Amino acid sequence: MAGKKREIQLQAVINNQSLWDEMLQNKGLTVIDVYQAWCGPCKAMQTLFRKLKTELNEDEILHFVVAEANSIATLQPFRDNCEPIFLFSVYHEITFVDSDTEDAGEAFNENVDQLYSIAIIKPEAVITGKTIKIKEKIISAGFVIQAEDKRVLTENQVRDFYSQIADEPDFEDFVTLMTTGISYILVVSQDNKQEPPCEETVSNPENKEPKETSEDQHEMATPTVMRKKWDSLQEYLERQNISQFCDVEENTTNVNKFIDIFFPDFKSISKLEKTLALLRPDLFQEKKEDVFNIIQDEGFKILMQREIVLSEEEAKTLCKEYENEDYFGNLIENMTSGPSLALVLLRENGLQHWKELIGPSTVEEAKERLLESLCIQFATKSFPINQLYGSDSLEAAEMEIQYFFPPQNTLALIKPHATHEQREEIFSIIKEAGFDITQMKEILLTKEQADKIYFKITNKDFYKDVLEILSEGPSVVMILTKWNAVSEWRRLMGPTDPEEAKLLSPDSIRAKFGITVLKNCVHGSSNIQEAMETINRIFEEFVPENSEEH
């Protein structure tokens, strides 16, 4: 009798439409064993259900029922079926919030608290080139990096974020360490589209041979997959032995506070994406301006562009999808006959929008379904293919951009007389110009350190005046990374004399913030060799993040 009682408690009996409708209001997941009156419920599964019920202990969100098909109108399609049938009902109560009420903002913030964590990758990890590997591990574990930024943390920011360890004896040294180098700040969430790691379990834990089922039992294999709960980000980093390089804040109140501090526009950030675009030689020579006008009208920003004559190998790689066509040989000859134009485009959902805009890879396919595409608009008589190219995925875009626009490092310096507000504005100008601040530190330059940066002019008479300017306070020394970084940074700085800069390059940094030739706000390397020598001297422990790829 006791065994029979447990079975009744495990699976509720649904034998009419009214009970069925009531059952559908169960919160959470309801597992329904649909049975025929002449056969009965599946007894082979009851052991597994009882095991799940015991292990999960979630009475309010996990339910098991048996339902007779002949007595419930909804189950009419399943009547007279001799195979085991299991249905699943999921009910989730949704609360709608009126955006005009005072509680709307609080409801949004509560949702943010549940979803996001703040992670800080420390300067020691950044300077030794561990950032990419840490981010890759975070992503591979099913987390999503929703936003990221690189900056030198202020003393107040460090004290605030690490307030829980403020009483430790070496805390002041820690604050100094955290404020003298660049850190990565990440907003991280769990990927709701990806399930947590799983382990396969078998409902027959004693590994006994399965018994023959009786006539009133359905034959059914009982292996199942049990999913673990998600690790928190902190737990995952600890298991990967990288928590010493990355600190995490997951406290509900603090997460919101630090998002507001580090990412004040986070709630309205668009999903900006980069993609590689390429104009084939014929289109580039004949209708480049028309394409540029469309790019601008569609809201894209051109981050980088360059003319490039493709090698035969490069052309074959880009045109691989046409390799079985009769015209493939002539196409490769055309692709290598003159310059193509490679572009890096940025826009909200940029990759998908560009692919939709240019259309299919062949004119024939475009005529069938996308007559308004650029493939049709810019079709040529020479080849029946799309004269425009776009990356197929974000991963492909990143690789293709790296290939066609190989990153270059240059050394940049913001001089002591620049105010804090001017520094922040210069950082914004740098980022808007497409530079990546790969490394940064704030230091009071000694003569020995200044000699490493200005080694070409140490024997000049005016060098003592340079040293005097640099001794007035701390300078910000940076490694800036971008394709053609040396010349691009020199263009962004403008002429050495601020007065000349105001005439020749009024939007340059020196035109905006420079005072005199010596107090012209910023400095940069003159060529790539000088840049590499200076970087190696100032950032001796620096490991380029792209060292493996290049």
Side-chain angles (χ1 to χ4, degrees), residues 60-76:
E60 294 184 2
I61 63 170
L62 179 61
H63 314 274
F64 298 96
V65 305
V66 293
E68 184 183 344
N70 290 330
S71 61
I72 300 169
T74 303
L75 299 180
Q76 182 177 356

Side-chain angles (χ1 to χ4, degrees), residues 341-357:
L341 183 67
L343 305 167
V344 178
L345 304 181
L346 178 72
R347 205 199 91 135
E348 181 181 354
N349 296 317
L351 185 137
Q352 184 62 28
H353 188 75
W354 179 248
K355 292 294 287 183
E356 292 174 354
L357 192 63

